[in-house]
Amino acid sequence: MRKNDKVICNCCGRAIREEAAVPREEFLHVEKTWGYFSEKDGEKQEFDVCEACYDEWVQGFLIPAKIHEATELL
Ligand SMILES: [Zn+2]
């Protein structure tokens, strides 16, 4: 989430490291608008997760996340 122009990890509450308002740390930003087939129909949810919390979250998956080698510089 954004607070005072800082990105805060919703999971652990830690601020993502920034220099001159540019994130110097990777994080996951999620935006989801739930639709008709959801019990949250019409609700938009948004959150940010730091890399440490992301790793912990993904390690709990029964089927591991697919990993591809990025061939282009982003
Ligand atoms: Zn975190």
Side-chain angles (χ1 to χ4, degrees):
M1 69 172 186
R2 289 219 152 248
K3 190 180 170 191
N4 299 332
D5 258 6
K6 275 189 165 28
V7 180
I8 308 288
C9 172
N10 282 68
C11 198
C12 68
R14 198 174 58 79
I16 305 293
R17 197 163 68 86
E18 286 191 7
E19 276 168 35
V22 178
R24 292 291 172 194
E25 198 183 311
E26 295 275 317
F27 62 97
L28 175 71
H29 176 74
V30 176
E31 277 184 48
K32 169 67 180 170
T33 304
W34 296 94
Y36 183 73
F37 296 104
S38 164
E39 287 178 13
K40 295 180 278 298
D41 184 19
E43 202 172 289
K44 184 181 177 185
Q45 294 183 339
E46 198 175 335
F47 60 87
D48 297 295
V49 178
C50 76
E51 191 173 6
C53 290
Y54 171 86
D55 287 344
E56 213 168 293
W57 181 28
V58 169
Q59 276 168 22
F61 288 4
L62 186 65
I63 298 164
K66 206 169 191 175
I67 298 173
H68 297 275
E69 206 64 48
T71 51
E72 283 177 33
L73 288 175
L74 296 173

